[in-house]
Amino acid sequence: MKSHHLFTLLGCLALVSCSTQRYVGSHGEKVASPAVVDVSTQPARNVILMIGDGMGAEQVWAAWLANRGELNITTLPVTGFSVTTSASHLITDSAAGGTAIACGCKTKNGQLGITAEGKPVDSLAVQMHRAGKATGLVVTKSITDATPAAFYAHVKSRRQTADIADALVKSDFEVIVGGGSADFSAAQLAQLEKKCQLFELAAPGNCVAAAKRPGWLAGRVQDALEVLSKDKDGFFLMVEGSKIDTEAHVNSLTGTVQETQDFDQAVGAVLRWMQKHPDTLLVVTADHQTGGLSILDGDKEKGEVKGHFSTYRHSGVAVPVYAAGAGASAFAGVQENTAFFTKIQNAAGLGSRACTSK
Ligand SMILES: [Zn+2]
């Protein structure tokens, strides 16, 4: 055995995780004809922010290979990177990552909707609601999970599920779709049902895996767009492909690719809708990369991908940013994860407010 191979083997044993897997996409996953949406400088009446939890560039390119060299995400005309560090760690968790994107503040890992020092801060959803826009959340894990909760809760710990559920009941979203019904009392569920125009918690906890809910996310995103677009002032919709992270945490290449493709189908639904609604900004990004995935081999013609995970945790790389539509050009280049907050408000003509304390 060559010495560098031995070193790799020992490194893998020490890390426990060193999983190389192969995935071959089935026929029928190919994107039929991606909708092309260009960049414009008009103000964004509507903003759709799509977050692939744990979706690094590696997850995107694994899905691209399995999908025979075609994805909706990779048709977006503007690309950049987001630096994912938190106030406390080089490697963020989804609470601090979500807070940076939602509220424009770097906070400590585990904290939601508050600054590093603990001051509550307004999210993009709150700012958009204040500007008269309808707001919505569509996710595939519990609606009280860290990423969606960053848009409405203000807690020291992402594990304060009861406080997070309470904050959602007091929020002003028109659309709430995801999982997590078990986190709410019957009275709270009735209140949410009454307040929302579209309310669905499809599972007691997280939604089932992508393979068991074909088309569900893309369908719910279409439903959300239909409801939200009735507001004459426009809307803000956050969509999360929540389970890309879940599958990468258990080092499942199959699950990671399938969840990323499922998320990509939802991006496709948005792009098709945007062709008739050009006054819309779409931003697709991630809160961090999960699993330290790398692509070791593959075949674009056969939809084959050979991937290798180097950790069961998150990694420290910057993640990709893709944008299309009104004001999209602002998202090119390398940016901090806090920049989404100000750039999205600028694109929507709301003026720039960074990390606004309540
Ligand atoms: Zn994670």
Side-chain angles (χ1 to χ4, degrees), residues 53 94 245 249 288 290 314:
D53 200 307
S94 288
D245 175 71
H249 271 301
H288 52 75
T290 304
H314 300 167

Side-chain angles (χ1 to χ4, degrees), residues 4 21 32 48 96 98-99 114 130 140 147 198 206 210 335 349:
H4 69 275
Q21 295 157 47
I48 302 158
T99 300
I114 57 176
R130 230 173 247 151
T140 57
T147 307
L198 174 61
N206 299 328
Q335 54 226 295

Side-chain angles (χ1 to χ4, degrees), residues 13-73:
L13 289 173
L15 284 167
V16 185
S17 157
C18 190
S19 167
T20 304
Q21 295 157 47
R22 209 170 272 278
Y23 175 82
V24 183
S26 62
H27 291 286
E29 281 170 1
K30 190 155 174 153
V31 179
S33 58
V36 177
V37 173
D38 225 326
V39 182
S40 82
T41 53
Q42 64 181 311
R45 182 168 174 266
N46 314 307
V47 177
I48 302 158
L49 172 61
M50 302 184 73
I51 302 173
D53 200 307
M55 189 186 73
E58 302 80 359
Q59 273 78 358
V60 173
W61 291 108
W64 178 86
L65 266 174
N67 219 34
R68 293 170 176 75
E70 203 169 38
L71 282 182
N72 290 296
I73 294 174

